[in-house]
């Protein structure tokens, strides 16, 4: 198998067995664009290479994912990852709305300041011991940003 890629995008093709045991051909391309406020996106001079693994800002349990791996064979569509910032229009706020438009895709987003997930803990007392279990997670209130 050979991938003929006439685009400036980094790409890869490989074969892999699917969940039903059939041999599939997987093709992945990564495009990097420069964003211009209220303007059309343009090819970025430096195309990012294919991402072999998920990348986080720091600790994967406490910081956001910056780049998702491009090697996801069961993905049937396209991902758009926008790395940027949103600021409340009238100064620091706990939450506000913004929009992202890419061609025909128009998404309204509700963003917030930093917030943390907190464990929901259940404690059970037995005659000779005390058991504690995490039964779920609760999203904390956002901080003003």
């Amino acid at each position: 198998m050979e991938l003929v890629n006439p685009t400036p995008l980094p790409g890869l093709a490989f074969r892999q067995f699917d969940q039903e045991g059939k041999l599939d051909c997987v093709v992945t391309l990564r495009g990097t664009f420069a964003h211009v406020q209220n303007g059309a996106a343009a090819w970025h001079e430096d195309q990012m290479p294919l991402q072999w693994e998920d990348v986080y800002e720091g600790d994967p349990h406490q910081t956001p994912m910056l780049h998702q791996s491009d090697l996801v064979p069961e993905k049937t569509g396209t991902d758009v990852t926008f790395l940027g910032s949103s600021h409340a229009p009238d100064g620091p706020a706990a939450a506000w709305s913004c929009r992202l438009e890419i061609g025909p895709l128009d998404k309204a987003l509700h963003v917030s300041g930093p917030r943390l997930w907190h464990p929901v803990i259940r404690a059970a007392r037995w005659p000779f011991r005390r058991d504690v279990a995490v039964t779920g997670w609760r999203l904390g209130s956002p901080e003003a940003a």
Side-chain angles (χ1 to χ4, degrees):
M1 176 174 64
E2 177 184 1
L3 173 64
V4 177
N5 180 5
T7 74
L9 306 176
L12 174 71
F14 59 95
R15 301 205 64 188
Q16 177 171 323
F17 290 102
D18 65 14
Q19 293 177 344
E20 298 170 358
K22 297 177 186 172
L23 193 56
D24 287 341
C25 177
V26 180
V27 177
T28 184
L29 296 171
R30 175 181 276 265
T32 307
F33 301 87
H35 170 261
V36 178
Q37 187 69 26
N38 298 321
W43 291 109
H44 196 281
E45 289 181 26
D46 299 317
Q47 290 293 309
M48 289 181 59
L50 288 174
Q51 190 63 51
W52 302 105
E53 59 191 13
D54 294 341
V55 175
Y56 293 82
E57 190 174 271
D59 181 348
H61 301 289
Q62 297 182 9
T63 60
M65 180 188 292
L66 298 178
H67 304 285
Q68 183 180 26
S69 171
D70 292 316
L71 304 179
V72 183
E74 296 296 324
K75 188 184 298 184
T76 58
T78 300
D79 284 344
V80 174
T81 303
F82 185 86
L83 298 177
S85 299
S86 176
H87 302 279
D90 299 321
W96 60 95
S97 295
C98 64
R99 285 194 109 61
L100 180 61
E101 291 182 53
I102 302 173
L105 179 69
D106 182 0
K107 293 291 181 181
L109 305 172
H110 184 74
V111 297
S112 71
R115 54 199 316 189
L116 298 174
W117 286 97
H118 302 283
V120 176
I121 298 175
R122 179 183 54 97
R125 293 182 183 256
W126 300 92
F128 301 105
R129 71 178 213 219
R130 180 177 178 198
D131 289 333
V132 176
V134 174
T135 59
W137 294 89
R138 177 184 53 79
L139 187 58
S141 298
E143 299 174 21

PDB file of all heavy atoms in Angstrom, residues 91-122:
ATOM      1  N   GLY A  91     -14.971  42.439  31.283  1.00  0.00           N
ATOM      2  CA  GLY A  91     -14.051  42.247  32.402  1.00  0.00           C
ATOM      3  C   GLY A  91     -14.223  40.868  33.017  1.00  0.00           C
ATOM      4  O   GLY A  91     -15.029  40.063  32.551  1.00  0.00           O
ATOM      5  N   PRO A  92     -13.450  40.559  34.060  1.00  0.00           N
ATOM      6  CA  PRO A  92     -13.468  39.217  34.656  1.00  0.00           C
ATOM      7  C   PRO A  92     -14.880  38.740  35.012  1.00  0.00           C
ATOM      8  O   PRO A  92     -15.676  39.495  35.555  1.00  0.00           O
ATOM      9  CB  PRO A  92     -12.611  39.379  35.916  1.00  0.00           C
ATOM     10  CG  PRO A  92     -11.695  40.515  35.594  1.00  0.00           C
ATOM     11  CD  PRO A  92     -12.508  41.452  34.739  1.00  0.00           C
ATOM     12  N   ALA A  93     -15.175  37.483  34.665  1.00  0.00           N
ATOM     13  CA  ALA A  93     -16.468  36.869  34.948  1.00  0.00           C
ATOM     14  C   ALA A  93     -16.264  35.372  35.159  1.00  0.00           C
ATOM     15  O   ALA A  93     -15.256  34.808  34.731  1.00  0.00           O
ATOM     16  CB  ALA A  93     -17.441  37.117  33.797  1.00  0.00           C
ATOM     17  N   ALA A  94     -17.215  34.729  35.814  1.00  0.00           N
ATOM     18  CA  ALA A  94     -17.134  33.288  36.043  1.00  0.00           C
ATOM     19  C   ALA A  94     -17.467  32.500  34.777  1.00  0.00           C
ATOM     20  O   ALA A  94     -16.931  31.427  34.554  1.00  0.00           O
ATOM     21  CB  ALA A  94     -18.067  32.877  37.182  1.00  0.00           C
ATOM     22  N   ALA A  95     -18.350  33.045  33.920  1.00  0.00           N
ATOM     23  CA  ALA A  95     -18.737  32.357  32.687  1.00  0.00           C
ATOM     24  C   ALA A  95     -19.267  33.371  31.673  1.00  0.00           C
ATOM     25  O   ALA A  95     -19.762  34.431  32.059  1.00  0.00           O
ATOM     26  CB  ALA A  95     -19.803  31.308  32.983  1.00  0.00           C
ATOM     27  N   TRP A  96     -19.138  33.034  30.383  1.00  0.00           N
ATOM     28  CA  TRP A  96     -19.615  33.899  29.306  1.00  0.00           C
ATOM     29  C   TRP A  96     -19.755  33.065  28.035  1.00  0.00           C
ATOM     30  O   TRP A  96     -19.357  31.909  27.994  1.00  0.00           O
ATOM     31  CB  TRP A  96     -18.684  35.096  29.083  1.00  0.00           C
ATOM     32  CG  TRP A  96     -17.290  34.708  28.717  1.00  0.00           C
ATOM     33  CD1 TRP A  96     -16.778  34.596  27.460  1.00  0.00           C
ATOM     34  CD2 TRP A  96     -16.234  34.349  29.611  1.00  0.00           C
ATOM     35  NE1 TRP A  96     -15.471  34.189  27.517  1.00  0.00           N
ATOM     36  CE2 TRP A  96     -15.104  34.030  28.827  1.00  0.00           C
ATOM     37  CE3 TRP A  96     -16.127  34.250  30.999  1.00  0.00           C
ATOM     38  CZ2 TRP A  96     -13.901  33.633  29.384  1.00  0.00           C
ATOM     39  CZ3 TRP A  96     -14.920  33.854  31.548  1.00  0.00           C
ATOM     40  CH2 TRP A  96     -13.818  33.558  30.738  1.00  0.00           C
ATOM     41  N   SER A  97     -20.342  33.650  26.996  1.00  0.00           N
ATOM     42  CA  SER A  97     -20.545  32.948  25.729  1.00  0.00           C
ATOM     43  C   SER A  97     -19.632  33.513  24.651  1.00  0.00           C
ATOM     44  O   SER A  97     -19.247  34.682  24.702  1.00  0.00           O
ATOM     45  CB  SER A  97     -22.002  33.084  25.267  1.00  0.00           C
ATOM     46  OG  SER A  97     -22.852  32.426  26.171  1.00  0.00           O
ATOM     47  N   CYS A  98     -19.286  32.670  23.684  1.00  0.00           N
ATOM     48  CA  CYS A  98     -18.500  33.094  22.524  1.00  0.00           C
ATOM     49  C   CYS A  98     -18.896  32.199  21.351  1.00  0.00           C
ATOM     50  O   CYS A  98     -19.691  31.281  21.507  1.00  0.00           O
ATOM     51  CB  CYS A  98     -17.001  33.037  22.806  1.00  0.00           C
ATOM     52  SG  CYS A  98     -16.366  31.391  23.129  1.00  0.00           S
ATOM     53  N   ARG A  99     -18.353  32.458  20.162  1.00  0.00           N
ATOM     54  CA  ARG A  99     -18.680  31.702  18.946  1.00  0.00           C
ATOM     55  C   ARG A  99     -17.413  31.305  18.209  1.00  0.00           C
ATOM     56  O   ARG A  99     -16.424  32.019  18.248  1.00  0.00           O
ATOM     57  CB  ARG A  99     -19.477  32.556  17.964  1.00  0.00           C
ATOM     58  CG  ARG A  99     -20.872  32.786  18.281  1.00  0.00           C
ATOM     59  CD  ARG A  99     -21.567  33.338  17.033  1.00  0.00           C
ATOM     60  NE  ARG A  99     -22.469  32.403  16.424  1.00  0.00           N
ATOM     61  CZ  ARG A  99     -23.530  31.908  17.033  1.00  0.00           C
ATOM     62  NH1 ARG A  99     -23.775  32.226  18.269  1.00  0.00           N
ATOM     63  NH2 ARG A  99     -24.329  31.082  16.413  1.00  0.00           N
ATOM     64  N   LEU A 100     -17.521  30.215  17.476  1.00  0.00           N
ATOM     65  CA  LEU A 100     -16.459  29.767  16.598  1.00  0.00           C
ATOM     66  C   LEU A 100     -17.104  29.376  15.279  1.00  0.00           C
ATOM     67  O   LEU A 100     -18.002  28.532  15.245  1.00  0.00           O
ATOM     68  CB  LEU A 100     -15.718  28.570  17.204  1.00  0.00           C
ATOM     69  CG  LEU A 100     -14.573  27.989  16.391  1.00  0.00           C
ATOM     70  CD1 LEU A 100     -13.479  29.030  16.183  1.00  0.00           C
ATOM     71  CD2 LEU A 100     -14.007  26.767  17.080  1.00  0.00           C
ATOM     72  N   GLU A 101     -16.688  30.033  14.191  1.00  0.00           N
ATOM     73  CA  GLU A 101     -17.204  29.722  12.859  1.00  0.00           C
ATOM     74  C   GLU A 101     -16.052  29.263  11.978  1.00  0.00           C
ATOM     75  O   GLU A 101     -15.040  29.936  11.871  1.00  0.00           O
ATOM     76  CB  GLU A 101     -17.839  30.952  12.216  1.00  0.00           C
ATOM     77  CG  GLU A 101     -19.125  31.400  12.863  1.00  0.00           C
ATOM     78  CD  GLU A 101     -19.730  32.582  12.143  1.00  0.00           C
ATOM     79  OE1 GLU A 101     -19.920  32.491  10.900  1.00  0.00           O
ATOM     80  OE2 GLU A 101     -20.003  33.593  12.818  1.00  0.00           O
ATOM     81  N   ILE A 102     -16.248  28.103  11.347  1.00  0.00           N
ATOM     82  CA  ILE A 102     -15.268  27.571  10.399  1.00  0.00           C
ATOM     83  C   ILE A 102     -16.069  27.086   9.196  1.00  0.00           C
ATOM     84  O   ILE A 102     -16.740  26.059   9.271  1.00  0.00           O
ATOM     85  CB  ILE A 102     -14.441  26.423  11.001  1.00  0.00           C
ATOM     86  CG1 ILE A 102     -13.709  26.894  12.252  1.00  0.00           C
ATOM     87  CG2 ILE A 102     -13.472  25.864   9.965  1.00  0.00           C
ATOM     88  CD1 ILE A 102     -13.003  25.804  13.001  1.00  0.00           C
ATOM     89  N   GLY A 103     -16.034  27.857   8.121  1.00  0.00           N
ATOM     90  CA  GLY A 103     -16.849  27.517   6.954  1.00  0.00           C
ATOM     91  C   GLY A 103     -18.309  27.443   7.353  1.00  0.00           C
ATOM     92  O   GLY A 103     -18.825  28.329   8.023  1.00  0.00           O
ATOM     93  N   PRO A 104     -18.990  26.347   6.996  1.00  0.00           N
ATOM     94  CA  PRO A 104     -20.408  26.232   7.342  1.00  0.00           C
ATOM     95  C   PRO A 104     -20.637  25.847   8.812  1.00  0.00           C
ATOM     96  O   PRO A 104     -21.760  25.891   9.288  1.00  0.00           O
ATOM     97  CB  PRO A 104     -20.906  25.128   6.413  1.00  0.00           C
ATOM     98  CG  PRO A 104     -19.699  24.298   6.150  1.00  0.00           C
ATOM     99  CD  PRO A 104     -18.532  25.261   6.143  1.00  0.00           C
ATOM    100  N   LEU A 105     -19.577  25.488   9.527  1.00  0.00           N
ATOM    101  CA  LEU A 105     -19.696  25.102  10.931  1.00  0.00           C
ATOM    102  C   LEU A 105     -19.758  26.357  11.794  1.00  0.00           C
ATOM    103  O   LEU A 105     -18.877  27.211  11.723  1.00  0.00           O
ATOM    104  CB  LEU A 105     -18.501  24.241  11.338  1.00  0.00           C
ATOM    105  CG  LEU A 105     -18.457  23.768  12.779  1.00  0.00           C
ATOM    106  CD1 LEU A 105     -19.560  22.751  13.015  1.00  0.00           C
ATOM    107  CD2 LEU A 105     -17.108  23.144  13.075  1.00  0.00           C
ATOM    108  N   ASP A 106     -20.802  26.491  12.587  1.00  0.00           N
ATOM    109  CA  ASP A 106     -20.988  27.649  13.454  1.00  0.00           C
ATOM    110  C   ASP A 106     -21.386  27.130  14.828  1.00  0.00           C
ATOM    111  O   ASP A 106     -22.473  26.580  15.000  1.00  0.00           O
ATOM    112  CB  ASP A 106     -22.079  28.555  12.870  1.00  0.00           C
ATOM    113  CG  ASP A 106     -22.299  29.816  13.687  1.00  0.00           C
ATOM    114  OD1 ASP A 106     -21.617  30.005  14.707  1.00  0.00           O
ATOM    115  OD2 ASP A 106     -23.177  30.607  13.304  1.00  0.00           O
ATOM    116  N   LYS A 107     -20.502  27.279  15.805  1.00  0.00           N
ATOM    117  CA  LYS A 107     -20.748  26.744  17.144  1.00  0.00           C
ATOM    118  C   LYS A 107     -20.765  27.861  18.174  1.00  0.00           C
ATOM    119  O   LYS A 107     -19.844  28.680  18.235  1.00  0.00           O
ATOM    120  CB  LYS A 107     -19.663  25.732  17.539  1.00  0.00           C
ATOM    121  CG  LYS A 107     -19.681  24.468  16.725  1.00  0.00           C
ATOM    122  CD  LYS A 107     -20.900  23.655  17.045  1.00  0.00           C
ATOM    123  CE  LYS A 107     -20.933  22.370  16.262  1.00  0.00           C
ATOM    124  NZ  LYS A 107     -22.097  21.574  16.533  1.00  0.00           N
ATOM    125  N   ALA A 108     -21.817  27.890  18.981  1.00  0.00           N
ATOM    126  CA  ALA A 108     -21.876  28.783  20.128  1.00  0.00           C
ATOM    127  C   ALA A 108     -21.260  28.019  21.298  1.00  0.00           C
ATOM    128  O   ALA A 108     -21.572  26.845  21.517  1.00  0.00           O
ATOM    129  CB  ALA A 108     -23.321  29.156  20.434  1.00  0.00           C
ATOM    130  N   LEU A 109     -20.387  28.664  22.013  1.00  0.00           N
ATOM    131  CA  LEU A 109     -19.691  28.030  23.128  1.00  0.00           C
ATOM    132  C   LEU A 109     -19.985  28.779  24.420  1.00  0.00           C
ATOM    133  O   LEU A 109     -20.067  30.005  24.428  1.00  0.00           O
ATOM    134  CB  LEU A 109     -18.181  28.032  22.883  1.00  0.00           C
ATOM    135  CG  LEU A 109     -17.706  27.405  21.584  1.00  0.00           C
ATOM    136  CD1 LEU A 109     -16.226  27.657  21.387  1.00  0.00           C
ATOM    137  CD2 LEU A 109     -17.984  25.925  21.581  1.00  0.00           C
ATOM    138  N   HIS A 110     -20.142  28.034  25.497  1.00  0.00           N
ATOM    139  CA  HIS A 110     -20.274  28.630  26.820  1.00  0.00           C
ATOM    140  C   HIS A 110     -18.980  28.275  27.550  1.00  0.00           C
ATOM    141  O   HIS A 110     -18.695  27.094  27.762  1.00  0.00           O
ATOM    142  CB  HIS A 110     -21.493  28.063  27.546  1.00  0.00           C
ATOM    143  CG  HIS A 110     -21.730  28.703  28.862  1.00  0.00           C
ATOM    144  ND1 HIS A 110     -22.250  29.979  28.978  1.00  0.00           N
ATOM    145  CD2 HIS A 110     -21.510  28.265  30.112  1.00  0.00           C
ATOM    146  CE1 HIS A 110     -22.338  30.291  30.257  1.00  0.00           C
ATOM    147  NE2 HIS A 110     -21.897  29.264  30.962  1.00  0.00           N
ATOM    148  N   VAL A 111     -18.187  29.272  27.876  1.00  0.00           N
ATOM    149  CA  VAL A 111     -16.895  29.031  28.512  1.00  0.00           C
ATOM    150  C   VAL A 111     -16.925  29.566  29.937  1.00  0.00           C
ATOM    151  O   VAL A 111     -17.780  30.371  30.295  1.00  0.00           O
ATOM    152  CB  VAL A 111     -15.738  29.667  27.705  1.00  0.00           C
ATOM    153  CG1 VAL A 111     -15.627  29.035  26.343  1.00  0.00           C
ATOM    154  CG2 VAL A 111     -15.926  31.165  27.572  1.00  0.00           C
ATOM    155  N   SER A 112     -15.981  29.097  30.738  1.00  0.00           N
ATOM    156  CA  SER A 112     -15.933  29.528  32.130  1.00  0.00           C
ATOM    157  C   SER A 112     -14.488  29.713  32.556  1.00  0.00           C
ATOM    158  O   SER A 112     -13.561  29.276  31.875  1.00  0.00           O
ATOM    159  CB  SER A 112     -16.614  28.490  33.025  1.00  0.00           C
ATOM    160  OG  SER A 112     -15.822  27.325  33.115  1.00  0.00           O
ATOM    161  N   GLY A 113     -14.354  30.318  33.713  1.00  0.00           N
ATOM    162  CA  GLY A 113     -13.039  30.426  34.328  1.00  0.00           C
ATOM    163  C   GLY A 113     -12.613  29.052  34.844  1.00  0.00           C
ATOM    164  O   GLY A 113     -13.348  28.067  34.709  1.00  0.00           O
ATOM    165  N   PRO A 114     -11.437  28.962  35.441  1.00  0.00           N
ATOM    166  CA  PRO A 114     -10.935  27.669  35.926  1.00  0.00           C
ATOM    167  C   PRO A 114     -11.902  27.026  36.921  1.00  0.00           C
ATOM    168  O   PRO A 114     -12.501  27.699  37.748  1.00  0.00           O
ATOM    169  CB  PRO A 114      -9.619  28.036  36.619  1.00  0.00           C
ATOM    170  CG  PRO A 114      -9.251  29.372  36.083  1.00  0.00           C
ATOM    171  CD  PRO A 114     -10.519  30.056  35.714  1.00  0.00           C
ATOM    172  N   ARG A 115     -12.060  25.696  36.801  1.00  0.00           N
ATOM    173  CA  ARG A 115     -12.885  24.945  37.738  1.00  0.00           C
ATOM    174  C   ARG A 115     -12.312  23.552  37.893  1.00  0.00           C
ATOM    175  O   ARG A 115     -11.575  23.073  37.029  1.00  0.00           O
ATOM    176  CB  ARG A 115     -14.345  24.916  37.300  1.00  0.00           C
ATOM    177  CG  ARG A 115     -14.551  24.427  35.900  1.00  0.00           C
ATOM    178  CD  ARG A 115     -15.867  24.782  35.267  1.00  0.00           C
ATOM    179  NE  ARG A 115     -17.012  24.614  36.109  1.00  0.00           N
ATOM    180  CZ  ARG A 115     -18.266  24.707  35.696  1.00  0.00           C
ATOM    181  NH1 ARG A 115     -18.520  24.941  34.447  1.00  0.00           N
ATOM    182  NH2 ARG A 115     -19.273  24.548  36.499  1.00  0.00           N
ATOM    183  N   LEU A 116     -12.649  22.893  38.970  1.00  0.00           N
ATOM    184  CA  LEU A 116     -12.092  21.577  39.283  1.00  0.00           C
ATOM    185  C   LEU A 116     -13.199  20.548  39.479  1.00  0.00           C
ATOM    186  O   LEU A 116     -14.315  20.893  39.881  1.00  0.00           O
ATOM    187  CB  LEU A 116     -11.254  21.643  40.570  1.00  0.00           C
ATOM    188  CG  LEU A 116     -10.038  22.558  40.548  1.00  0.00           C
ATOM    189  CD1 LEU A 116      -9.404  22.623  41.935  1.00  0.00           C
ATOM    190  CD2 LEU A 116      -9.024  22.081  39.528  1.00  0.00           C
ATOM    191  N   TRP A 117     -12.857  19.289  39.215  1.00  0.00           N
ATOM    192  CA  TRP A 117     -13.752  18.173  39.534  1.00  0.00           C
ATOM    193  C   TRP A 117     -13.456  17.737  40.969  1.00  0.00           C
ATOM    194  O   TRP A 117     -12.305  17.610  41.364  1.00  0.00           O
ATOM    195  CB  TRP A 117     -13.505  16.997  38.596  1.00  0.00           C
ATOM    196  CG  TRP A 117     -14.031  17.222  37.216  1.00  0.00           C
ATOM    197  CD1 TRP A 117     -13.333  17.652  36.132  1.00  0.00           C
ATOM    198  CD2 TRP A 117     -15.373  17.034  36.784  1.00  0.00           C
ATOM    199  NE1 TRP A 117     -14.163  17.753  35.046  1.00  0.00           N
ATOM    200  CE2 TRP A 117     -15.425  17.378  35.417  1.00  0.00           C
ATOM    201  CE3 TRP A 117     -16.540  16.618  37.411  1.00  0.00           C
ATOM    202  CZ2 TRP A 117     -16.595  17.294  34.673  1.00  0.00           C
ATOM    203  CZ3 TRP A 117     -17.698  16.541  36.659  1.00  0.00           C
ATOM    204  CH2 TRP A 117     -17.714  16.875  35.315  1.00  0.00           C
ATOM    205  N   HIS A 118     -14.506  17.487  41.750  1.00  0.00           N
ATOM    206  CA  HIS A 118     -14.369  17.046  43.140  1.00  0.00           C
ATOM    207  C   HIS A 118     -15.009  15.668  43.292  1.00  0.00           C
ATOM    208  O   HIS A 118     -16.110  15.428  42.777  1.00  0.00           O
ATOM    209  CB  HIS A 118     -15.062  18.033  44.087  1.00  0.00           C
ATOM    210  CG  HIS A 118     -14.533  19.423  43.985  1.00  0.00           C
ATOM    211  ND1 HIS A 118     -13.334  19.808  44.539  1.00  0.00           N
ATOM    212  CD2 HIS A 118     -15.024  20.514  43.361  1.00  0.00           C
ATOM    213  CE1 HIS A 118     -13.117  21.079  44.277  1.00  0.00           C
ATOM    214  NE2 HIS A 118     -14.130  21.534  43.548  1.00  0.00           N
ATOM    215  N   PRO A 119     -14.358  14.762  44.016  1.00  0.00           N
ATOM    216  CA  PRO A 119     -14.945  13.426  44.190  1.00  0.00           C
ATOM    217  C   PRO A 119     -16.159  13.465  45.109  1.00  0.00           C
ATOM    218  O   PRO A 119     -16.218  14.241  46.054  1.00  0.00           O
ATOM    219  CB  PRO A 119     -13.803  12.618  44.823  1.00  0.00           C
ATOM    220  CG  PRO A 119     -12.950  13.638  45.497  1.00  0.00           C
ATOM    221  CD  PRO A 119     -13.066  14.889  44.680  1.00  0.00           C
ATOM    222  N   VAL A 120     -17.149  12.623  44.807  1.00  0.00           N
ATOM    223  CA  VAL A 120     -18.296  12.409  45.688  1.00  0.00           C
ATOM    224  C   VAL A 120     -17.969  11.144  46.469  1.00  0.00           C
ATOM    225  O   VAL A 120     -17.806  10.074  45.878  1.00  0.00           O
ATOM    226  CB  VAL A 120     -19.602  12.234  44.882  1.00  0.00           C
ATOM    227  CG1 VAL A 120     -20.759  11.910  45.815  1.00  0.00           C
ATOM    228  CG2 VAL A 120     -19.886  13.477  44.058  1.00  0.00           C
ATOM    229  N   ILE A 121     -17.829  11.285  47.770  1.00  0.00           N
ATOM    230  CA  ILE A 121     -17.350  10.182  48.608  1.00  0.00           C
ATOM    231  C   ILE A 121     -18.490   9.653  49.472  1.00  0.00           C
ATOM    232  O   ILE A 121     -19.251  10.424  50.051  1.00  0.00           O
ATOM    233  CB  ILE A 121     -16.176  10.656  49.486  1.00  0.00           C
ATOM    234  CG1 ILE A 121     -15.022  11.087  48.575  1.00  0.00           C
ATOM    235  CG2 ILE A 121     -15.747   9.565  50.458  1.00  0.00           C
ATOM    236  CD1 ILE A 121     -13.859  11.691  49.298  1.00  0.00           C
ATOM    237  N   ARG A 122     -18.594   8.349  49.509  1.00  0.00           N
ATOM    238  CA  ARG A 122     -19.572   7.688  50.372  1.00  0.00           C
ATOM    239  C   ARG A 122     -18.803   6.920  51.428  1.00  0.00           C
ATOM    240  O   ARG A 122     -17.878   6.172  51.127  1.00  0.00           O
ATOM    241  CB  ARG A 122     -20.423   6.719  49.550  1.00  0.00           C
ATOM    242  CG  ARG A 122     -21.456   5.961  50.386  1.00  0.00           C
ATOM    243  CD  ARG A 122     -22.220   4.953  49.551  1.00  0.00           C
ATOM    244  NE  ARG A 122     -21.334   4.045  48.852  1.00  0.00           N
ATOM    245  CZ  ARG A 122     -21.011   2.827  49.285  1.00  0.00           C
ATOM    246  NH1 ARG A 122     -21.492   2.364  50.396  1.00  0.00           N
ATOM    247  NH2 ARG A 122     -20.210   2.059  48.570  1.00  0.00           N
TER     248      ARG A 122
END
